[in-house]
Amino acid sequence: MTGPRIVPESTELTAAFWSAAAEGRILLQRCAGCELVWHPPAPVCPGCRGDVLEWFASSGRGTLYSYTRVEHAAHAAVADAVPYLVALVDLDEGPRVVTSLVGVDDASAVSALTARTRVTIELGPAAAGLQLPIARPSGPDADGSIDPAPPA
Amino acid sequence: MSAAVIGIGQTAYSRASQRSEWSLAVEAVEGALADCGISPSDVDGLVRYSYDSVDEAMLVRSFGWRLRYYSQTGYGGLGAPTALAHAAAAVTSGQARIVVCYRSLNGYSRTRYGRAERSFESGGGELVARGDRAPSGAFAGPYGLLSPGQVMAMWARRYQWEAGIAEQDLVGALARIAMDQRTYAQRNPAAVMHGRPLDAAGYLSGRVIATPLRIFDLALETDGAAAVVVAATDVARAASSSPVHITAVMAGMFAYAESIAIYGELRNGPTYRALARELFSVAGIQPGDLSAAMIYDATSISVLLGMEAYGLARPGAGWRAVLDHGIGSAAPVPVNTSGGHLSEAYVHGMNLVVEAVRQCRGTSTAQVQRSGPVLVSSGPSAVVLSP
Ligand SMILES: [Zn+2]
């Protein structure tokens, strides 16, 4: 990695998230009133606007929502990182997170990824240089079909 | 609604304007006013994209306007339909009588939207990713999710999975969109890609930017400006041009529906479709009544998702409709008939509005045969224009 690292700004809203993220854990917010869970962090519950919120650690397990293999660097900071995998993971607790995807080392492994691919979160190298929570396929795949867009 | 688009203007579209965005904006606005025979001194309203480097004060100074109304629209690509929503509201409520909407950018020579450099402060040391949006925000930038095209690549993969299709079917549909828009550009001398047709082999030879999207799936980065003039219907009757009526317009927004979103519905999802139905209800039409559609194409997948959101194809079936009929002149509803952002120019939707007006007037370089309403959509924002 020769370019500058891309680091997240930590705010009063997200400081707890980033402290845990540095240790490979994903903290999620939960409403004490209605128990809704969400990400990214918000000052009030998106369900009931309650403001008694608690942080808790995700199980670190989830299912792949989508991914892309970035082949063209959009910034000098990742010029040495391409190609790399970016994924959207739906955590078992509900919220979706952006993460890096590792352990998918060849073209056949990439093409085997599906919307049923299960992943586990661990501490590892994010594409732009930091150690952060990243995802690794954990198999076996989830059962059942994904929810397609319902008919109009 | 009693508002109409009466004037359209645009600069040359290029990759090296060698002029300021201010200068480009002035030329596009002058063109739009000349197009409808309106004196610059009669303009009393202005709508600006919040992303535009040319602000209200600059244009007011250039034209000597005395405005009664000005406003801004946010979220970049959502801005073109939204600008018309502001303008229509202003003229129908009597806050203004003649409103100019514009977008000006040196999108190649100054601010390249496919690059992430603008997202971070320059200087030594580490780059700080701020905010919670993708791409480039705090939750995306550290993972190298840095460009709109990368986000939309993930939309495309998710679309493939939800439609339950093979990658080759997805790629086939995206290629057809890119090729058909390029074909339109061959008929449009103003298009950046005029004179540069694209066939399937050429499409597939394009370099992969972020799987499954290739270079030809992405909007051009171009320099240029476009503008329209919106007026109350009584003013429109006095203009030298044929008015194009704003029959329904929607500045839509719901949770995670901002421009390049990753946390919410895919952009063919049920909330997008419900908003589209409400728009068509206001316009008093069905999707099949459209004579043409301009669907915001930051990438080719946005066209596919937009076709499904706005009822041009059933959810999950747009890829099949595109493989069967394409989006060209022979399609049931031709889409992005100027070449769109993929092949005409990328003026953040304003050039799509200009093309929609040309279709309503009967002056497009790829004029549809059937006269009727024309849709311009960008995610949850859209406008229906009618001759
Ligand atoms: Zn709550």
Side-chain angles (χ1 to χ4, degrees), chain A residues 35-101:
Chain A
E35 301 196 330
L36 189 69
V37 176
W38 64 88
H39 175 83
V44 298
C45 170
C48 71
R49 284 176 298 287
D51 61 359
V52 182
L53 314 179
E54 56 199 11
W55 290 102
F56 73 102
S58 164
S59 63
R61 286 189 288 274
T63 305
L64 194 60
Y65 174 86
S66 190
Y67 77 95
T68 183
R69 185 176 189 264
V70 176
E71 301 197 3
H72 171 76
H75 191 285
V78 290
D80 296 333
V82 289
Y84 57 88
L85 294 171
V86 179
L88 297 175
V89 169
D90 285 345
L91 296 170
D92 288 354
E93 293 81 10
R96 183 174 304 154
V97 295
V98 182
T99 189
S100 293
L101 190 60

Side-chain angles (χ1 to χ4, degrees), chain A residues 4-7 9 17-18 39-41 65-76 84 86 96 98-100 113-115 126-128 132-133 146 148 150, chain B residues 114-117 120 125-130 132 138-139 141-147 150 153-154 157-158 161-162 207-211 256 262-264 273 315:
Chain A
R5 301 187 307 178
I6 299 175
V7 304
E9 181 184 40
F17 180 94
W18 292 117
H39 175 83
Y65 174 86
S66 190
Y67 77 95
T68 183
R69 185 176 189 264
V70 176
E71 301 197 3
H72 171 76
H75 191 285
Y84 57 88
V86 179
R96 183 174 304 154
V98 182
T99 189
S100 293
L113 295 169
T114 74
L132 285 174
I146 61 169
Chain B
R115 301 286 309 169
E117 272 75 7
F120 306 108
E126 293 175 325
L127 303 168
V128 179
R130 294 193 169 88
D132 68 10
F139 298 97
Y143 292 105
L145 182 56
L146 297 170
S147 73
Q150 293 164 5
M154 290 198 282
R157 184 68 68 192
R158 183 66 188 181
W161 287 349
E162 292 194 5
R207 68 193 163 101
V208 173
I209 301 300
T211 61
Y256 309 120
I262 53 174
Y263 294 111
R273 300 202 301 275

